[in-house]
Amino acid sequence: MQEIIVNKNEAGRRLDKCLCKYLKNAPTSFIYKMLRKKNIVLNDRKAQGNEVLELNDSVKLYLSEETLVNMGFALLDLQEVNTKADITERYKESDSKAGFIDKNAYEYLKNRIKIVYEDSDVLILCKDFNILSQKANNNDYSVNEWAIDYLLENKSLSKEELRTFKPSVCNRLDRNTSGLITVGKSLKGLQALSSGIANKRIRKFYTCIVSGQVPEKFSLKGFLYKDEKNNKVEILKNKDDIKPGFQGEISTDFLCKKRVNGYSLLEVEIHTGKTHQIRASLSYLGYPIVGDVKYGDKTVNKKMLEKGIKNQLLHSEKLVFPKDFEIEGLKGKEIVSEADFKGFSFT
């Protein structure tokens, strides 16, 4: 018999969904069959599978070790598996790595990712340029992996918990955009952040430097189309129904905070979160972001490169949370991490 004691990242989930996490190789038909036969019970009683779990509930699995191994049971220790070698080999894939995902990469990025806010459910980080928010390829090490390594190092997360729940970033930034990234440490935090961003309850503000003397205030509403092959988007004022790659409507507000020598410092609020929305919008309006190699001005970028500026000057600077936000410490709060565009001067 194996017992699962429901933790904070499992409380609020349905029993069947939770069992799918623990028995990741098991078809749902097998899980429901075991529930019907009382080989899996909730708090020592027969369960249907649709029960919503509460903290410290007990889920007992009266299954053989061989069955547990074949079903990829997440809490088995590899050392305890004494069945035949081919079963052990099949199980290895389901065993999470102990400790760090990549300690060397974690240490390398320690000075390029800083912690801006943390509580028991949420982690808010500020990343530097040239760091992925999430993996693009299997071997990548992104902010997501760094956050998990940080939580493992600080014992906010155990390798056992990691087998059934993985903290995750909830908003993505382009590799060469610096700034604030939110991470759900717990299921509650992940749901609150993801919902707040999707429903636009969390307001997102950016800072950037562009070429051109822009108006004090201006906005852009339009439609965005994406060329998947070249990973580049196009802004159109009028929707073209027959054009492939339609991503939806966009809405962005701009506020000029400073104008000097042909450059402008802008505060940008995005009301939709589409690929390259800010970069493509400003290029469309004739105010390309300094250092943006995809949508920017090549002459300006060459001049900046001579000054040692190799990245686009775009930074996710501020997040504003609603007063009724689900995470107590973030209710009505502004989280700010000011931009540091090293090498650029308005003089």
Side-chain angles (χ1 to χ4, degrees):
M1 187 273 290
Q2 292 283 340
E3 183 177 22
I4 301 164
I5 302 298
V6 174
N7 62 41
K8 67 177 183 178
N9 293 322
E10 294 156 350
R13 284 183 176 175
R14 281 173 46 135
L15 172 60
D16 52 0
K17 301 298 183 185
C18 185
L19 287 169
C20 286
K21 289 280 187 180
Y22 277 94
L23 300 169
K24 65 180 186 179
N25 297 338
T28 53
S29 58
F30 172 83
I31 290 173
Y32 284 116
K33 181 179 179 180
M34 293 302 99
L35 287 166
R36 286 195 304 271
K37 295 178 68 175
K38 295 204 293 188
N39 285 2
I40 301 176
V41 295
L42 174 62
N43 297 324
D44 295 318
R45 296 179 181 179
K46 185 177 181 180
Q48 301 298 314
N50 61 355
E51 294 84 355
V52 177
L53 297 173
E54 296 183 5
L55 186 65
N56 296 323
D57 273 353
S58 166
V59 181
K60 290 179 180 176
L61 294 82
Y62 293 94
L63 303 172
S64 70
E65 186 177 79
E66 186 171 342
T67 298
L68 289 168
V69 171
N70 281 324
M71 296 304 171
F73 184 55
L75 294 185
L76 279 179
D77 288 326
L78 201 56
Q79 300 93 305
E80 296 177 2
V81 177
N82 297 313
T83 49
K84 56 186 180 180
D86 62 328
I87 294 177
T88 302
E89 284 302 312
R90 287 203 299 275
Y91 175 69
K92 281 182 180 178
E93 188 179 346
S94 71
D95 182 52
S96 296
K97 294 179 181 178
F100 290 93
I101 295 171
D102 188 331
K103 189 170 184 179
N104 290 334
Y106 172 71
E107 293 293 337
Y108 173 73
L109 290 180
K110 257 188 175 179
N111 294 324
R112 302 191 63 216
I113 298 175
K114 68 178 183 178
I115 298 162
V116 180
Y117 173 88
E118 184 174 10
D119 61 28
S120 59
D121 298 300
V122 168
L123 182 65
I124 300 180
L125 306 171
C126 181
K127 83 172 185 76
D128 206 344
F129 297 106
N130 200 28
I131 301 174
L132 288 167
S133 300
Q134 290 180 308
K135 283 184 176 185
N137 300 299
N138 287 336
N139 294 326
D140 289 337
Y141 188 85
S142 68
V143 172
N144 208 117
E145 286 69 51
W146 190 93
I148 292 172
D149 275 342
Y150 165 76
L151 296 173
L152 287 168
E153 181 188 45
N154 289 279
K155 304 190 186 310
S156 300
L157 178 74
S158 69
K159 68 172 185 176
E160 287 76 20
E161 291 174 312
L162 190 57
R163 288 168 177 171
T164 57
F165 174 79
K166 288 190 177 181
S168 177
V169 302
C170 297
N171 65 302
R172 297 181 63 174
L173 300 178
D174 294 339
R175 179 196 284 267
N176 284 321
T177 299
S178 61
L180 296 170
I181 290 188
T182 59
V183 179
K185 286 174 57 176
S186 68
L187 180 62
K188 177 182 177 182
L190 194 60
Q191 290 174 335
L193 290 170
S194 299
S195 173
I197 291 167
N199 297 328
K200 304 177 181 61
R201 294 173 62 228
I202 300 173
R203 298 175 68 190
K204 296 181 286 184
F205 294 85
Y206 291 71
T207 295
C208 64
I209 297 174
V210 302
S211 301
Q213 303 281 357
V214 305
E216 182 179 351
K217 286 184 179 181
F218 57 107
S219 300
L220 177 66
K221 290 186 178 181
F223 300 92
L224 186 143
Y225 296 83
K226 185 175 182 182
D227 178 350
E228 293 285 353
K229 183 178 179 181
N230 297 305
N231 191 30
K232 193 169 182 179
V233 305
E234 180 184 357
I235 307 294
L236 295 179
K237 286 292 287 182
N238 299 306
K239 182 177 179 181
D240 182 350
D241 292 325
I242 63 171
K243 189 177 180 69
F246 176 65
Q247 298 287 301
E249 190 172 1
I250 59 165
S251 176
T252 318
D253 290 333
F254 304 90
L255 173 65
C256 182
K257 302 180 81 172
K258 190 174 185 178
R259 304 186 197 92
V260 180
N261 296 332
Y263 297 102
S264 299
L265 176 69
L266 304 183
E267 178 184 85
V268 183
E269 181 176 10
I270 58 172
H271 304 291
T272 50
K274 303 296 183 184
T275 303
H276 303 172
Q277 177 177 325
I278 297 173
R279 297 162 61 191
S281 294
L282 286 166
S283 178
Y284 171 84
L285 292 167
Y287 310 120
I289 293 174
V290 172
D292 187 345
V293 297
K294 186 164 285 191
Y295 301 98
D297 184 308
K298 291 181 180 179
T299 302
V300 171
N301 292 345
K302 183 178 179 181
K303 188 188 301 183
M304 292 298 133
L305 196 58
E306 292 169 357
K307 296 181 179 182
I309 297 173
K310 302 177 182 179
N311 301 290
Q312 62 197 26
L313 303 187
L314 174 62
H315 179 81
S316 172
E317 185 167 270
K318 183 169 64 174
L319 297 170
V320 180
F321 293 85
K323 292 181 179 179
D324 61 347
F325 194 60
E326 294 83 349
I327 305 300
E328 187 65 33
L330 288 172
K331 288 183 175 180
K333 193 163 186 175
E334 290 188 3
I335 301 294
V336 178
S337 182
E338 293 185 359
D340 181 12
F341 296 135
K342 294 176 182 176
F344 182 87
S345 172
F346 277 102
T347 58

